[in-house]
Amino acid sequence: MTNQSFEDASSSDFSEHEARNKKFRDTTGETFSRASDAARGAAEKAKRAAGDAASSVSDHVMGLLNDQIVVGAQSANHFAGSMRIAADDLERESPMLAGLVRGFAHNVDQYADRFEDQTVEQLVKSASDLTRRQPALVFGLAALAGFFAYRTFKTASDSSVSSPPIQPARNPAGNYNE
C-alpha cells in the first residue's frame, strides 16, 4: 500500500510538472512570437525609413544635377555670345573665319537651348539611345578621350619641375653664393 500511495503521489507530481512545463513552453513560445513580430515590425519600419531617406536624397541630388544643367546651358550661351563678339572683331581681318566662328556660336546656342529644357533622366536616355544607334562613334570618342587623358598625364609626369633650393648654396670656401 505504501508503494501504491508513492506511485499515486509521484504520478500526480509528474502531471503537475508536465502541466507547468507545458504552460512554460506556451508562455515562452508566445513571448518569442511577440518579440519576433515586434522585431519584424521594427525592421519593416527601418526599411521604409531607409527607403524614404534614400528617395529624398536621390530626389535632392537629381534636383542639384538639373540645376547644374541649367547653369551649364547658361554658361554655354555666354560662351556663344563671346564667340559672336570675337567674330565681330575678326570681321575686318578675316571675314571667312568670322563666319565660321558665328556658325559655331549659333550651334553652341542651339545645343545649350536644347539642354536647358531637359532633365538628367532625359539626357541619360538620349545618351543611351545614341550609344545604341552609333556604338562605333561612342567607342571612338571614348578612345580619343582616353588618348588625350593619357597624353596629358604622361606629359605632366615627364615635365616635373624642380624647385630651387630654399637655402643658398655654399661655395668650396664655405661662403654663401649670392
Side-chain angles (χ1 to χ4, degrees):
M1 190 157 191
T2 58
N3 205 10
Q4 187 179 11
S5 66
F6 179 70
E7 285 177 9
D8 289 339
S10 70
S11 71
S12 70
D13 286 344
F14 184 71
S15 297
E16 287 176 25
H17 184 65
E18 277 284 319
R20 278 185 275 152
N21 279 346
K22 184 176 182 332
K23 185 177 179 182
F24 180 73
R25 276 191 304 250
D26 291 345
T27 305
T28 305
E30 228 178 271
T31 304
F32 281 132
S33 177
R34 285 184 193 147
S36 177
D37 290 344
R40 267 191 232 111
E44 286 297 320
K45 285 180 185 177
K47 196 182 292 185
R48 272 182 287 187
D52 292 345
S55 176
S56 69
V57 167
S58 176
D59 292 344
H60 182 68
V61 168
M62 288 305 237
L64 289 174
L65 289 174
N66 287 332
D67 292 344
Q68 287 302 312
I69 289 173
V70 171
V71 169
Q74 290 171 347
S75 296
N77 283 330
H78 290 311
F79 178 66
S82 297
M83 289 188 338
R84 282 191 196 87
I85 292 170
D88 291 342
D89 287 346
L90 283 172
E91 188 68 43
R92 289 183 302 273
E93 301 293 323
S94 178
M96 184 183 280
L97 184 60
L100 199 75
V101 171
R102 275 195 196 91
F104 188 64
H106 179 72
N107 288 341
V108 169
D109 261 341
Q110 284 181 334
Y111 287 127
D113 290 342
R114 269 193 8 212
F115 285 141
E116 190 172 22
D117 297 332
Q118 291 188 358
T119 63
V120 173
E121 293 91 4
Q122 292 169 333
L123 288 175
V124 168
K125 185 178 180 320
S126 297
S128 176
D129 291 345
L130 176 68
T131 303
R132 272 190 232 106
R133 283 191 321 250
Q134 301 285 333
L137 175 68
V138 173
F139 179 74
L141 289 174
L144 189 62
F147 173 75
F148 282 125
Y150 171 75
R151 294 297 299 168
T152 300
F153 291 127
K154 185 174 185 318
T155 303
S157 66
D158 287 347
S159 66
S160 60
V161 178
S162 63
S163 61
I166 296 174
Q167 298 293 324
R170 289 186 178 189
N171 60 21
N175 299 328
Y176 288 105
N177 290 336
E178 291 183 33

